[in-house]
Amino acid sequence: MKGQSLLQVDGLRVELRAGGRRVYPVDGVHVTVPAGQTLALVGESGCGKSMTALACMGLLPRGGRITAGQVKLAGEALERLPEVRMRDVRGRRMAMIFQEPASSLNPVMTVGDQIGEVLVRHRSLHGQPAWNEAERLLAAVGIPDPRRRLGEYPFQLSGGMKQRVMIAIALAGEPELLIADEPTTALDVTIQAQVLDLLRTLQARRGMGMLLITHDLGVVARMAHRVAVMYAGEVVEAGEREAFFAAPLHPYSRKLFAALPDAGRRDHALETIPGQVPPLGARLRGCRFAERCPQVRPRCRDAQPALHEVDGRQVRCHLYDAESGLSWLSAEAVPEGRAATSPDSRPVLEVDGLKVHFPVRKGVFRRVTGQIKAVDGVTLSVAAGETVALVGESGCGKTTAGKALLQLVPASGGAVRYDGRELLTLAPADWRPVRRELQMIFQDPFSSLNPRMRVGEILEEGMRSLGVEPDAAQRALRIEALLQRVGLDPSMRDRFPHEFSGGQRQRIAIARALAVSPRLIVCDEPTSALDVSVQAQILNLLKDLQGEFGLSYLFITHNLAVVDYLAHQVAVMYLGRIVERGRAEEVLRDARHPYTRMLLAAVPKVPGPVLTAEQGAGEAIDLPSPLSPPAGCHFHPRCSEATVACREIYPDETRLSPTRVVRCHLYAS
């Protein structure tokens, strides 16, 4: 059956009723998913990708309905089935991995009970057989100690584990078709690689079809057989993976590629796509991409483009009309160059042996029985005007280290000096002037912005608290200037955070940090869940601000492509300690520590005209617990080059060059 059409979507149109209006987030979509193959549906947030998936599953929100087209699974029209029949299809014949496992998993049910629901409903397994099968599924998705995890609740799991539980639930019914909606969005590179390899292995074993929704072109290159690019409710380009990566046809597809960060663009602004996806309900006469397209022509604004066949691919664009001549292919401008920033060699921030240990208390008397060594002796420095990237897997202590520098969590030891002034022993009253100069941009702007305050009030709060600008009129002018500087309209100051997109909320978080004129900003995963086009805008903004104000950044991330584009120095963290640090080109081009090499190998590569070989994640061994780290080198259980010394002695620092340090017995003198 492999290669035959499993899911067939023809002319799908979805209507939503909101506020007395009718809007169409999906408007005439045609896609096909063959058995045993993966179709990647890509595009920015708001293009209709997830709504297409929900329509296929019969899970449209209240007020939503299919008004045209068909959704066929193995030839059976699903849009005609009553809900009682769809309940037999969902979970058994087709299943879905949702984008947000934290909100998709039931917080008051154990992991075992949630998997068991599917096993009871679709496979008639009860009691011990169901429990055994649930344990097997958790083991299959790479969760260590699966029997213990079955009795735990979602809040007790890391983000990567929650995502793998979602996969286990989706696979419990042994579906023919799996719909995966951004299954790896906020996962670090090693967990992402393990999840993708797992899905690909299960697909090959079961002959399962997969509809993969993602904005990560590296994931597309690794997983997809075919690619469909979606924009404003329509598919604007579709074709085989190899042809798509060799030469994307639609201007929108080309812009997505141009927005990707890499080292070759360090001295240039990343290409961005001006404007936003048209809002639902907008009246669009011609091409829906016309207002953002660099090759727009008068005809594009007046007439809707047809779907053209080009070398076995489909593209919806007037540039491929018979009279166009395709003269546009070489017409795009080269991104504007920018002067490379030269960091000052003088350290602004010096961190020496920083430790953050959390006590573990048990029993009636809450006695301390152990220590979680989240940060265990971190040493690094940040120069004026410099970006230092702190990279590593989730759970290695990156965010805790960043918060400890600003005393947002108490440090257990070590020293942190800012401009020669010791911060860890600073009295609370003396922190006030320092707070102005040290700020943090948090990973999730939605949870870090007060939902009850307007944007203007959020920006003004810090200024008033720290006495930045005593005059109210001057504060108002400063807020307007800040909003303009981060690419937002000053009129937006009266809106609440929920009225903004994810990228806009991140800009507000940046504006809040800038409001008090800092010198150093700790950036905690500021682009982790953003589309590539929005990510490019944020990275351009951070670089421009650094050049304009001489800002220093401690940039916490797991996105090594962003590190390659933005960072001057890189520090690689594993289980609370820095295992390798040096200049970005040294660490990323010639990684020495086996852990650094593992991280780099796990990154999904976006190929050029010739596709790279298939990538693997290596053996799926999870990060050990910081409560009981392995003896010797903490990485040795996952290292293929481990020796007897690695299992017994933690390695000292070895200096490989004036700017390069590594902790590994392989380089000990």
Side-chain angles (χ1 to χ4, degrees):
M1 185 179 173
K2 188 173 181 178
Q4 297 179 2
S5 176
L6 176 63
L7 177 70
Q8 184 77 40
V9 179
D10 291 316
L12 179 65
R13 194 177 201 219
V14 173
E15 176 189 279
L16 295 179
R17 295 188 181 184
R21 296 186 307 149
R22 296 182 180 182
V23 296
Y24 300 93
V26 180
D27 196 10
V29 165
H30 297 265
V31 292
T32 300
V33 181
Q37 293 193 9
T38 297
L39 170 72
L41 196 58
V42 304
E44 295 170 282
S45 298
C47 284
K49 308 185 301 296
S50 295
M51 198 61 69
T52 300
L54 293 174
C56 293
M57 292 288 294
L59 293 174
L60 289 173
R62 186 182 299 274
R65 66 190 184 101
I66 296 174
T67 59
Q70 284 190 320
V71 179
K72 292 183 177 180
L73 181 65
E76 182 178 13
L78 300 183
E79 78 282 356
R80 299 177 184 175
L81 294 182
E83 176 59 22
V84 67
R85 289 280 309 281
M86 276 302 297
R87 289 174 188 165
D88 293 327
V89 174
R90 280 195 299 266
R92 181 55 172 163
R93 298 184 59 197
M94 60 192 301
M96 185 167 179
I97 303 169
F98 294 92
Q99 182 172 355
E100 289 290 345
S103 58
S104 302
L105 295 172
N106 191 323
V108 298
M109 291 179 64
T110 65
V111 169
D113 287 339
Q114 295 188 60
I115 299 175
E117 278 190 324
V118 181
L119 297 174
V120 170
R121 178 70 176 79
H122 296 294
R123 292 173 59 185
S124 300
L125 291 177
H126 300 266
Q128 193 61 44
W131 194 258
N132 293 340
E133 178 64 6
E135 182 180 343
R136 187 192 67 79
L137 285 164
L138 286 187
V141 298
I143 290 183
D145 198 0
R147 179 166 298 183
R148 177 171 62 88
R149 297 294 185 184
L150 286 173
E152 294 186 343
Y153 292 87
F155 77 88
Q156 296 174 277
L157 307 178
S158 68
M161 284 191 180
K162 283 197 280 274
Q163 191 64 281
R164 283 183 271 183
V165 168
M166 282 292 301
I167 295 173
I169 293 172
L171 296 175
E174 300 181 333
E176 305 164 40
L177 173 73
L178 181 66
I179 299 176
D181 187 3
E182 300 280 10
T184 62
T185 295
L187 302 183
D188 54 59
V189 289
T190 53
I191 300 299
Q192 174 180 261
Q194 292 171 19
V195 168
L196 295 179
D197 285 351
L198 169 67
L199 291 175
R200 191 163 53 184
T201 299
L202 292 170
Q203 180 182 48
R205 186 186 306 158
R206 299 182 177 186
M208 184 173 60
M210 192 185 313
L211 176 62
L212 175 65
I213 298 170
T214 183
H215 63 255
D216 189 329
L217 293 175
V219 171
V220 174
R222 187 170 190 150
M223 295 292 292
H225 298 88
R226 288 182 57 82
V227 182
V229 181
M230 199 166 176
Y231 186 79
E234 295 180 330
V235 172
V236 296
E237 181 174 353
E240 297 293 327
R241 177 189 64 170
E242 289 81 358
F244 175 73
F245 280 99
L249 299 176
H250 198 280
Y252 178 57
S253 306
R254 292 162 62 86
K255 278 290 188 182
L256 291 178
F257 275 93
L260 294 172
D262 61 46
R265 299 172 183 174
R266 287 180 68 98
D267 297 333
H268 294 84
L270 293 173
E271 286 225 29
T272 60
I273 308 177
Q276 296 179 345
V277 177
L280 293 178
R283 294 185 178 182
L284 304 169
R285 291 178 55 193
C287 173
R288 301 182 180 195
F289 188 59
E291 295 303 320
R292 308 174 72 191
C293 183
Q295 285 89 31
V296 65
R297 300 178 178 186
R299 177 174 170 78
C300 301
R301 303 183 190 278
D302 298 328
Q304 190 174 19
L307 196 63
H308 300 277
E309 286 280 343
V310 179
D311 297 329
R313 287 186 279 171
Q314 296 80 44
V315 58
R316 190 181 296 278
C317 181
H318 285 302
L319 296 169
Y320 294 88
D321 293 343
E323 68 275 12
S324 74
L326 299 183
S327 60
W328 64 279
L329 283 172
S330 59
E332 290 193 55
V334 176
E336 183 179 333
R338 55 147 63 91
T341 57
S342 299
D344 191 332
S345 59
R346 178 177 56 88
V348 170
L349 183 74
E350 296 174 279
V351 183
D352 186 15
L354 178 67
K355 296 182 179 182
V356 182
H357 296 175
F358 298 107
V360 177
R361 301 178 184 274
K362 292 183 178 180
V364 176
F365 299 104
R366 310 301 294 162
R367 291 192 176 95
V368 175
T369 60
Q371 296 282 337
I372 295 176
K373 298 179 180 179
V375 180
D376 196 26
V378 164
T379 298
L380 55 83
S381 64
V382 184
E386 181 182 56
T387 299
V388 175
L390 188 58
V391 303
E393 296 168 283
S394 297
C396 73
K398 307 187 301 295
T399 297
T400 303
K403 290 181 177 179
L405 299 179
L406 306 184
Q407 287 289 280
L408 299 178
V409 296
S412 306
V416 177
R417 289 179 292 275
Y418 171 69
D419 265 355
R421 190 177 188 183
E422 176 56 53
L423 297 183
L424 297 187
T425 58
L426 206 61
D430 296 330
W431 258 98
R432 188 181 185 87
V434 180
R435 289 278 181 216
R436 289 187 54 173
E437 301 193 9
L438 301 176
Q439 287 289 302
M440 187 165 188
I441 301 170
F442 294 92
Q443 180 173 1
D444 183 358
F446 191 68
S447 62
S448 65
L449 299 175
N450 192 325
R452 295 182 177 87
M453 295 177 68
R454 301 177 191 274
V455 167
E457 296 169 336
I458 290 171
L459 300 186
E460 188 178 18
E461 182 183 34
M463 288 191 281
R464 293 178 64 180
S465 175
L466 298 176
V468 173
E469 180 56 67
D471 184 71
Q474 290 300 314
R475 286 199 302 267
L477 291 175
R478 186 181 178 89
I479 288 169
E480 289 187 5
L482 277 170
L483 289 173
Q484 287 181 322
R485 190 65 191 82
V486 299
L488 297 175
D489 194 297
S491 64
M492 294 178 173
R493 62 177 297 163
D494 294 322
R495 297 185 188 178
F496 291 94
H498 74 268
E499 298 180 79
F500 294 89
S501 68
Q504 288 174 324
R505 283 196 290 266
Q506 196 61 280
R507 290 167 184 266
I508 294 167
I510 293 173
R512 179 177 61 181
L514 293 172
V516 295
S517 302
R519 292 179 59 198
L520 183 142
I521 302 177
V522 177
C523 305
D524 186 10
E525 300 277 11
T527 63
S528 63
L530 302 181
D531 297 323
V532 290
S533 57
V534 179
Q535 174 182 266
Q537 294 169 9
I538 297 297
L539 294 179
N540 285 344
L541 174 62
L542 291 174
K543 267 206 168 184
D544 290 343
L545 292 170
Q546 186 172 61
E548 185 174 344
F549 300 112
L551 294 175
S552 301
Y553 298 130
L554 178 62
F555 200 91
I556 298 168
T557 185
H558 62 253
N559 189 330
L560 295 181
V562 169
V563 172
D564 213 359
Y565 173 73
L566 195 66
H568 301 96
Q569 303 280 336
V570 178
V572 182
M573 194 167 178
Y574 185 77
L575 217 59
R577 299 180 180 180
I578 302 295
V579 297
E580 183 169 3
R581 70 177 190 269
R583 289 183 291 112
E585 57 269 26
E586 289 178 320
V587 175
L588 299 179
R589 301 286 172 272
D590 183 27
R592 296 299 181 89
H593 199 283
Y595 177 59
T596 310
R597 295 201 296 266
M598 186 187 80
L599 290 179
L600 291 168
V603 177
K605 305 297 189 298
V606 179
V610 179
L611 280 175
T612 55
E614 296 288 357
Q615 304 160 73
E619 190 177 354
I621 303 176
D622 283 272
L623 192 75
S625 170
L627 178 61
S628 55
C633 174
H634 295 341
F635 186 64
H636 85 258
R638 306 171 73 185
C639 182
S640 60
E641 302 174 72
T643 64
V644 174
C646 300
R647 296 178 176 88
E648 297 175 352
I649 306 168
Y650 195 87
D652 293 325
E653 283 191 349
T654 300
R655 185 164 291 279
L656 303 179
S657 75
T659 56
R660 186 83 174 277
V661 172
V662 64
R663 280 185 177 271
C664 182
H665 287 298
L666 297 175
Y667 305 98
S669 55

